[in-house]
Amino acid sequence: MNGMLYKVGELAKATGLTVRTLHHYDHVGLVRPSGRTYSGHRLYDEPDVRRLYEVLALRQLGLPLEDIGAALAGTSGLGELLERHREHLDRQLVAMRTLHAHLTTMLSTLGEQAGVTDFLALIREVTTVNETVRQYFSETQLAELAERRSRLGDQEDVQRKWQDLIPRVQRAVETGTDPASAEGRELGREWMSLLEAFHGGDPGLRDSLYRMQAENSAEIQHQHGGPSPEQVDFIRRATQG
């Protein structure tokens, strides 16, 4: 810089910022000019320009101006601010992943001739998550489930398979079929295959699913038709060993 001084217009032109932005930074105390001309115009020296660079670097990371001021003043640790910002970005990424999966599902499901009623019904379907489910699955897991749903495509086919399988398992329970028999193990294999389509082998999703079912079995059976504790026990024994 060689001791150069910049008027506000010159600094704005050199940096690509607007004069209004520089005035605002001065007003909120982020970047205050070190000097003034005789007529009162702002003059920025080398330390001021360096300070402006620091502000812009932190602003580029998405930090709000008040956090930038605290960080540069040393009243708040920069590492803490960046960690908080990363957590915010993580939440945004999860939201974007979920939205992308929902849009993919909508595009694959809605035909060109779909009416507004169909569209609104689908929106309700893909955006409404039962509060019970939210108790067991994190936002990241819900985003993963939404992505898996969009990749798998036809969810009605999966639902039909469950509707066919659960009554067959119930008949096996009622007739006293040995879970270790060939019939029992085949039912267990079908059951686990459908569960695999849900959790994709992710142990976290699998454990959350099992815990939700165990703690809400009566409600799940009443509202969604199963599975009952007896059916779950049958499948557990059919898949042992």
Side-chain angles (χ1 to χ4, degrees), residues 52-85:
L52 177 60
Y53 169 78
E54 292 171 346
V55 169
L56 295 178
L58 294 176
R59 191 74 177 122
Q60 189 68 24
L61 293 174
L63 294 178
L65 294 182
E66 56 268 24
D67 284 351
I68 292 174
L72 294 179
T75 58
S76 181
L78 180 57
E80 176 187 347
L81 292 175
L82 293 179
E83 178 62 30
R84 204 159 66 226
H85 182 55

Side-chain angles (χ1 to χ4, degrees), residues 3 21 42-43 76 79 112 129 136 138 171 182 193 195 197 211 214:
T21 296
R42 296 169 175 85
L43 288 175
S76 181
E112 292 184 1
V129 179
Y136 295 92
S138 67
R171 285 195 296 272
S193 176
L195 287 182
R211 186 160 55 89

